[in-house]
Each structure stands twice: as C-alpha cells, then as structure tokens.
C-alpha cells in the first residue's frame, strides 16, 4: 500500500519562509539562546514586580479589569515578546493577587519556595508526561520515590503506594472511587442495588469536595452524612459511632469515613486514633483528608498532631498548601497498593497489559489523569536543596504566628474568636455593641479591605453568622501585620456601624421615607 501526499502538502506554500519563522518559536536545539533570553526577561519582570509590590492586591474590580482583557485581539499577535510582556503587566501582573505579601491572609495559598520554582522551570521546559515510562523515564522514578517518602512519613507500611494529583479535590475524588469499589466488591449484590445505599460519613466541618465526589461517583443525593463536630470543631467520635450504627440499622452501607486533618476553616484535626478504632471495628474504609495538615509530616515540633494518620486506608496531601509548593502539587496515598487497580485501564496505544507484566512502571495505571505534569520535580528539588526539616520549620513558624494572632484577638474586646486552631487559621468577627449589625459590618469590612488592597482576609459562616478568617501561611507575616490588619478591619466595620445607626436614629422629615444608607 502506498500513501499519497495530502493535497495541501503538495501545493507550495504561498508564503515561503513562514514555516521557518514559525519554527523559531519552538524550543529546540536551534533556539536555546532565545529560550535563555526570553525566560531571563520574564524572570526579571516578575522579580521587579515582587520587589515593588506594596500591597497584596490592587483592589481592581472585574468591571474595571475585564475591558482591558477584552480589548486584546487574540488574532493579531504583537510578535515582539517584550511587547507581550508589557501587555501582560496591564492584564495580569499589575493587578495580580500576591500570596507572598505579608498581609495576604485570606485563603490556603502559600508563598512558594525558590527551589520549587526551579523545578517548575525545568519541568515545563522538558515537558515530561508522567502517564508512562516511555514519556518520562526518570520522572516516573522520581515521582515514585516521593510517593514512597510521603507514605513513609505517614507510616502507611510496606504495601503503600499512591500517585501525584492536581489537588486535594482530585485526591479526595480518587480516594472515594477506591473506597466505593472496595465497598461494592465486598457485597455479592448487583452494583445498581448497592449504589443508592452507600454512605460517606464526614465531619460537618469537612471539605465540600467530598460531596462533589459523591455526586460524581453516582451516589445518592443524601450519601454524605455530616457528623456533628464539638465546640472545638473536631468530629465527635460518639456522634460518628452513632451514625455508623444508625446506617447499619437502616440497611445502609458506610463505604468510607472521611476524617479531616486540618479543616479548611478552623484548622482543627479530627481525633484520628479514636476514629481509626471505630473504622477498624466496623470494617469501614478510613480516608484522612490532610490537604491542609500534611505540613505536620515535616514539622520538627508538631508531628504528633497527626498521630493516628498511619491507620488510614487512604490519605490526601496538598504540597501546594503546607509544603510551600506552587500550584499544582498534591498526592493521594493508599495503604494497599492493590486498590489502585480500580483506576487501571489498559489502552493498546499507551499502556498495554503486556507492559504491566514486564513491570514497566506506568503511573497512568494508578491515576485518574492521562497526560500529567511532572509536579513531583518541584518537591524533589525542594527536598534536595532545603531538606524536610527546613520546610517543616517554615510551617511551624506560621503555626506559632497563628497562636500569637489568637492571643491577640482573645485579648481584644472589639473581636470575638471562634476556636483555637491546631494549625494556622483564625476565625473571628468584629463585635459591635449593636449586635444586629454584626453580620453586615463584617461583610462590609471584608469588602472594603479588599477594595483598598491593603490586606486580604477571608470570610466564612459559623452557625449561620458571618465571620472573618485569617489563613496564615506566610512566615514573613508578623504579629504587627496582624495587629495592623485588625485595626483596619475594626475601622471599616465601626464606620459601617456608625453610618447605619445614624441613619436608623435620624428622624425623617414628615412625609419622606428614610432612605437606605449605602456605605462605601
Ligand atoms: C483545600 C482543601 C481541599 C481541596 O484541595 P484543592 O487542592 O484545592 O483541590 C480538600 N480538603 C481540604 C481539607 C482542603 O483544605
């Protein structure tokens, strides 16, 4: 059989020379100089920005920024990389949210360590894909070493394994997939009969990705049963025992208990040893969501807070939260490597069964993803340059800072604090004497603060009321920064309360209704 050339290939290009120009953009032997120069220029820009940034955010609104982005004509390239970087200043860099800034106190975003940025630069240039050995070679071995290293730190035992993922959400999803399959395999009944009866028990302070996973896995709408947490915001084991028994009585199958080692809002760790005992007695899969708390694995002083995690069947870790890694960097670990078979499919073109028989290490056999970034390289270089204790020391510093912030807040009559975090969050609110204005005053203060860009704090709800939250992950943040931000919060909130109460007490002129007051 002979192949005819495609008609388009047969015709000579009307713009001879264009193909070569196009190829000048490809990264290859002939373009390494341009790679050097361009990357150096980009690094230089970011360095200048970071050196200049005086607040975590410009306060830009979507309404102001969207037209700048919309104005860009994506079909008319600037061609000059310097011009594209100039443009990037106005559509992105100028108004970016800077996690390295000491007054960024909002979400679980960490400043990143420079060794990990080295990894990021290397991995995107080499562009290995970690699905198969024949697309990654050493990359696969490095990822496997880091999985084993993490599993050892957790104490999962000799049969442990796992895989890097895009984040805690994906790790939790995969854990629930494995737990579901194990639960279904244990009962000799058709899947269709069993699926609606599967239940997942997790603390009411657990992460919403557990619910999302349940939905994706085709479970019942009521599949995730929230287990009561105590005033310390940790799962009550008595409540868990009660729910397990109730499910049994009702003919339901508890396919997993998800314990949280570091709740996103309160930084609290569920009582892992007691939960593990209950799970073992009931024969239930224990998943520990340590997306946030995994930094304790390298903490020189607080590893004991994770005691019991070694009894888990699966564990989620987010290196991009408490290991100071750039997004994304996460992993799912399992006690028994055999369970990963539930994620194994063989494609003739990629990872035929023959390869597994030959013990060719194809990570795609364990992953929900196919083409996959070599994120592990960032952690590898971090460990090889800094070492685990140094990473853990950074995490310890933010935990100490959170303890200081908590002390500051409990001593300050302007504020109310919810609970003492075991990690690095602080949930609090401004408490005006006019209690009925508390919700709106805190909502207003958060928005006003963000609009000024002077600091970013998060918000959440506790028992239906609006609260503010610090998530401290930056060792560069000082107690003075925190005190300063608290003053700003109090200023904004009290201004709101003053304006509101003035409007409420003002006597409207006869016949004219009081106008609602808009502060801001
Ligand atoms: C952040 C978080 C997740 C989700 O992780 P992503 O990396 O954002 O997908 C899951 N569980 C907990 C407890 C978290 O804090």
């Amino acid at each position: 059989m002979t192949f005819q050339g495609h008609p388009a290939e047969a015709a000579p290009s009307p713009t001879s020379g264009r193909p070569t120009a196009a190829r000048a953009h490809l990264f290859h032997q002939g373009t390494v100089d341009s790679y050097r120069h361009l990357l150096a220029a980009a690094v230089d820009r970011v360095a200048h920005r970071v050196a200049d940034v005086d607040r975590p955010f410009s306060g830009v609104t979507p309404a102001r920024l969207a037209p700048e982005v919309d104005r860009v004509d994506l079909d008319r390239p600037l061609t000059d990389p310097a011009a594209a970087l100039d443009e990037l200043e106005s559509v992105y860099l100028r108004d970016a949210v800077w996690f390295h800034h000491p007054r960024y106190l909002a979400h679980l975003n960490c400043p990143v360590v420079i060794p990990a940025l080295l990894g990021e630069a290397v991995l995107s240039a080499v562009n290995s894909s970690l699905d198969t050995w024949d697309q990654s070679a050493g990359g696969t071995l490095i990822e496997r070493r880091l999985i084993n290293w993490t599993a050892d730190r957790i104490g999962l035992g000799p049969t442990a394994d796992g895989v890097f993922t895009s984040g805690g959400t994906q790790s939790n999803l995969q854990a629930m997939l494995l737990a579901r399959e194990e639960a279904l395999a244990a009962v000799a009944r058709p899947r269709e009969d069993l699926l609606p009866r599967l239940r997942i028990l997790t603390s009411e302070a657990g992460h919403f990705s557990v619910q999302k996973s349940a939905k994706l896995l085709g479970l019942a709408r009521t599949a995730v049963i929230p287990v009561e947490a105590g005033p310390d915001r940790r799962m009550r084991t008595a409540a868990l025992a009660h729910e397990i028994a109730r499910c049994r009585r009702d003919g339901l199958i508890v396919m997993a208990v998800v314990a949280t080692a570091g709740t996103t809002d309160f930084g609290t760790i569920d009582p892992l040893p007691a939960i593990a005992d209950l799970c073992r007695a009931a024969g239930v899969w224990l998943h520990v969501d340590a997306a946030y708390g995994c930094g304790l694995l390298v903490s020189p002083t607080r590893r004991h807070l994770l005691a019991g995690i070694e009894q888990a069947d699966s564990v989620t870790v987010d290196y991009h939260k408490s290991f100071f890694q750039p997004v994304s960097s996460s992993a799912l670990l399992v006690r028994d490597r055999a369970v990963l078979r539930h994620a194994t499919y063989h494609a003739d073109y990629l990872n035929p069964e023959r390869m597994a028989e030959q013990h060719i290490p194809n990570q795609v056999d364990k992953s929900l993803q196919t083409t996959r970034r070599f994120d592990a390289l960032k952690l590898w270089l971090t460990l090889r340059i800094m070492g685990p204790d140094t990473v853990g020391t950074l995490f310890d510093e933010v935990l100490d800072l959170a303890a200081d912030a908590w002390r500051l807040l409990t001593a300050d009559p302007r504020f109310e604090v919810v609970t003492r975090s075991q990690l690095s969050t602080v949930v609090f609110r401004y408490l005006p004497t006019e209690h009925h204005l508390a919700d709106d005053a805190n909502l207003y203060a958060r928005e006003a603060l963000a609009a000024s860009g002077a600091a970013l704090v998060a918000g959440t709800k506790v028992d239906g009321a609006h609260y503010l939250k610090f998530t401290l992950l930056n060792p560069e943040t000082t107690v003075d920064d925190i005190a300063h931000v608290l003053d700003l919060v109090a200023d904004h909130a009290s201004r709101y309360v003053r304006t509101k109460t003035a409007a409420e007490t003002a006597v409207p002129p006869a016949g004219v209704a009081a106008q609602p007051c808009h502060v801001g």
Side-chain angles (χ1 to χ4, degrees), residues 108 167-169 172 207 209 260 262 264 289 291-292 318 320-321:
L108 270 168
T169 302
N172 283 346
H207 196 262
S209 56
T260 314
T264 315
D289 179 357
Y292 177 13
D318 257 0
H320 63 214
K321 283 179 181 160

Side-chain angles (χ1 to χ4, degrees), residues 5 15 42 50 53 72 84 128 185 200 214 342 369 411 446 454 473 518:
T15 47
V50 167
V53 156
V72 173
S128 297
I200 300 169
H342 298 304
Q369 292 169 265
R446 180 181 175 214
L473 278 181
H518 295 287

Side-chain angles (χ1 to χ4, degrees), residues 161-201:
D161 198 358
V163 70
F164 270 67
T165 71
S166 60
T169 302
Q170 195 192 8
S171 298
N172 283 346
L173 170 63
Q174 183 165 359
M176 291 305 98
L177 169 75
L178 304 179
R180 183 192 72 179
E181 293 306 302
E182 289 292 300
L184 291 175
V187 186
R189 294 266 305 272
R191 290 173 77 93
E192 312 79 75
D193 295 353
L194 294 174
L195 263 183
R197 289 167 46 203
L198 297 179
R199 292 295 179 270
I200 300 169
L201 304 181

Side-chain angles (χ1 to χ4, degrees), residues 363-382:
Q363 294 292 85
V364 70
D365 297 350
K366 310 171 186 177
S367 175
L368 299 186
Q369 292 169 265
T370 306
T371 305
R372 192 161 52 82
R373 286 166 58 83
F374 182 20
D375 286 314
L377 182 60
K378 296 177 285 192
L379 181 59
W380 179 269
L381 284 177
T382 300

Side-chain angles (χ1 to χ4, degrees), residues 490-515:
D491 283 351
H492 287 301
S494 60
R495 182 148 41 86
Y496 177 87
V497 171
R498 270 198 313 278
T499 318
K500 267 305 208 196
T501 44
E504 279 170 11
T505 52
V507 182
V512 181
Q515 292 298 304

